[in-house]
Amino acid sequence: MRDYKKYNVWEQSHKLTLDVYKVTKKFPKEEVYGLTSQLRRAVLSVPTNISEGAGRHSDKEFANFLNIASGSATESNYLLEVSKDLNYITKEEFEKLDTVLISIRKMLNSLQSKIRSNF
């Protein structure tokens, strides 16, 4: 069993989750069950899947959960783009969050490659 907290990608995705929760507090009330909920669930899925995968016993299972986390990061990116286009977040907020998401996706891909080389 692995300690998910030792992975920099988990730490960065956890911080991003906290940042997204803060920025979505200002979304319109009519989005509480729509975009706000969807974005929060997508971004929360990234560190959640990293931690769940780290608790699995095989490298193959861990790599699968990293793949799911990567998909959630991509989904989060799109949802942030929509939020920017709807003027729920500023261009600057989007660019800051997008930069972090790109970094997280690169780290996930790198970790997946490393894990997959073990099987």
Side-chain angles (χ1 to χ4, degrees):
M1 204 159 66
R2 301 164 184 89
D3 178 9
Y4 65 88
K5 290 183 180 179
K6 79 174 187 170
Y7 294 101
N8 188 38
V9 67
W10 176 85
E11 184 178 334
Q12 294 303 311
S13 61
H14 174 70
K15 288 178 183 176
L16 176 67
T17 300
L18 298 177
D19 289 342
V20 167
Y21 266 73
K22 287 176 190 169
V23 78
T24 56
K25 282 183 180 182
K26 66 180 183 178
F27 279 24
K29 295 294 179 206
E30 66 264 15
E31 289 291 355
V32 73
Y33 299 111
L35 188 56
T36 303
S37 176
Q38 184 77 19
L39 177 53
R40 286 178 172 187
R41 284 183 289 119
V43 76
L44 183 62
S45 178
V46 179
T48 300
N49 276 290
I50 296 167
S51 59
E52 184 173 353
R56 299 300 173 120
H57 296 288
S58 74
D59 288 340
K60 190 172 184 177
E61 286 180 296
F62 188 28
N64 185 51
F65 278 93
L66 293 174
N67 187 50
I68 295 167
S70 183
S72 294
T74 303
E75 179 185 2
S76 299
N77 178 258
Y78 171 69
L79 294 168
L80 286 169
E81 182 98 27
V82 169
S83 299
K84 175 185 62 85
D85 291 346
L86 291 170
N87 296 313
Y88 295 166
I89 61 174
T90 65
K91 182 179 178 185
E92 292 76 23
E93 288 171 319
F94 170 77
E95 288 173 354
K96 178 185 172 213
L97 297 169
D98 183 54
T99 299
V100 175
L101 266 171
I102 290 168
S103 175
I104 287 169
R105 289 172 60 201
K106 287 178 182 178
M107 286 188 279
L108 284 168
N109 287 336
S110 176
L111 183 55
Q112 275 183 286
S113 294
K114 182 179 177 184
I115 297 295
R116 285 193 170 126
S117 71
N118 294 335
F119 57 86

